[in-house]
Amino acid sequence: MNTKILIVLALVMAVIAGWFFYKQDSVTPTVNIAPSEVDYEATEIKAVQTNDEGETEYELNADSLTHNPTTNQDEMSGITMDWAPGTEQRYQISAGTAAINQQTGELKLTGGFVLTSKGTAEGATPIKVTGQTLFGNTKKRAVYSKEPVKVEQGDNRFEAASMKADLEAGDYEFGQVAVTFMPAARQDAKLF
């Protein structure tokens, strides 16, 4: 009788094991690892670029950086850049993402940008430009946007359909400017 119980118990165990084996999902397919388009990656980036005279041209902070060898671009997210393209002008640029080609100096900021001047000239009122996409060239010290931008300088505010700026000279050019003029409240006063 002990042998019969052991045989039945072995059959029950075999049936249960077969059922578990049957109910298991199919084996996951093998992972196909393709060559990466990324040369290197880094996080919490702090970089300094100098000009030919050894003076700091810009300081860059980014949350992350990847280098794409196909396009030879550094692609970054969460950037803040302090840029001094000339002796009289300083700027701070922040954006959601950026792509910079170190060889050509081409720059593309996307995901919203803020460009703020910090002129060193006495009495200069800072100008702040915000928009979605900004293109530029760090070697030519120029930026432009073909998309709408908002501009603030002191109490003055306006919107423009496009913008070009020579950051070294501090010259801005805006296309199709829209201004809302709010005159002072009228105050009636006696003349005599």
Side-chain angles (χ1 to χ4, degrees):
M1 185 146 163
N2 287 338
T3 310
K4 287 182 183 180
I5 292 176
L6 289 175
I7 291 174
V8 172
L9 196 53
L11 285 173
V12 170
M13 295 284 274
V15 170
I16 291 173
W19 181 77
F20 276 120
F21 180 74
Y22 176 74
K23 288 293 185 178
Q24 290 293 325
D25 291 328
S26 64
V27 177
T28 57
T30 58
V31 177
N32 186 9
I33 300 176
S36 175
E37 292 182 7
V38 174
D39 222 1
Y40 52 84
E41 294 182 65
T43 58
E44 298 181 22
I45 305 302
K46 294 182 184 202
V48 176
Q49 177 69 41
T50 58
N51 60 18
D52 294 335
E53 289 80 36
E55 299 165 336
T56 299
E57 187 170 328
Y58 64 82
E59 295 178 20
L60 178 77
N61 294 317
D63 294 337
S64 66
L65 172 135
T66 57
H67 181 262
N68 187 332
T70 307
T71 60
N72 195 29
Q73 288 189 339
D74 292 329
E75 298 165 356
M76 294 168 276
S77 65
I79 74 149
T80 302
M81 181 172 158
D82 290 319
W83 191 2
T87 57
E88 295 297 317
Q89 299 294 328
R90 296 189 64 77
Y91 299 89
Q92 184 177 59
I93 302 173
S94 59
T97 59
I100 299 175
N101 185 316
Q102 294 293 335
Q103 307 304 341
T104 63
E106 292 297 318
L107 170 71
K108 179 181 179 183
L109 304 172
T110 55
F113 74 89
V114 178
L115 168 68
T116 306
S117 71
K118 298 178 181 261
T120 57
E122 189 174 314
T125 304
I127 186 168
K128 178 180 176 182
V129 181
T130 58
Q132 284 302 309
T133 306
L134 183 70
F135 296 93
N137 190 302
T138 58
K139 296 188 185 305
K140 295 180 182 176
R141 297 171 171 89
V143 295
Y144 67 93
S145 179
K146 294 182 180 180
E147 295 180 8
V149 295
K150 292 181 181 179
V151 182
E152 298 176 29
Q153 186 176 29
D155 293 335
N156 303 315
R157 289 168 176 48
F158 64 89
E159 294 181 13
S162 63
M163 175 201 78
K164 290 181 186 177
D166 177 349
L167 297 181
E168 187 172 19
D171 294 334
Y172 298 87
E173 181 180 320
F174 300 100
Q176 297 180 348
V177 175
V179 178
T180 302
F181 178 69
M182 299 298 290
R186 181 177 172 170
Q187 296 178 0
D188 293 328
K190 294 181 182 179
L191 295 176
F192 302 102

